[in-house]
Amino acid sequence: MATINPVQFIQQVRAEVSKIVWPTRREVLLTTVMVFIMAALTAVFFALVDIIIRFGLSGVLDMFK
């Protein structure tokens, strides 16, 4: 394992950080809104599936009363 000078390490870290392309405020806002929309759609989907399963299961169980 090669030993590296701490100053040289910091210089390399700064060089790598400068290569990062940060998202714009608009991109962050749009992706955040998309995540909330997808979470809401997923919640509605699973709520509907839950209602359908509950209705079907209660119908089957009522036949054996």
Side-chain angles (χ1 to χ4, degrees), residues 15-44:
E16 291 299 319
V17 168
S18 68
K19 295 178 186 177
I20 297 173
V21 178
W22 297 101
T24 63
R25 181 176 296 273
R26 185 171 189 273
E27 289 172 333
V28 172
L29 181 65
L30 286 175
T31 53
T32 302
V33 169
M34 289 188 329
V35 167
F36 279 113
I37 290 171
M38 291 306 296
L41 289 174
T42 304
V44 169

Side-chain angles (χ1 to χ4, degrees), residues 4-20:
I4 189 164
N5 182 354
V7 174
Q8 191 178 22
F9 174 75
I10 297 297
Q11 289 172 346
Q12 290 177 0
V13 168
R14 294 188 84 186
E16 291 299 319
V17 168
S18 68
K19 295 178 186 177
I20 297 173

Side-chain angles (χ1 to χ4, degrees), residues 51-65:
I51 291 168
I52 292 168
I53 290 173
R54 187 179 341 139
F55 177 74
L57 188 58
S58 63
V60 169
L61 292 176
D62 284 343
M63 287 193 289
F64 293 109
K65 278 189 176 182

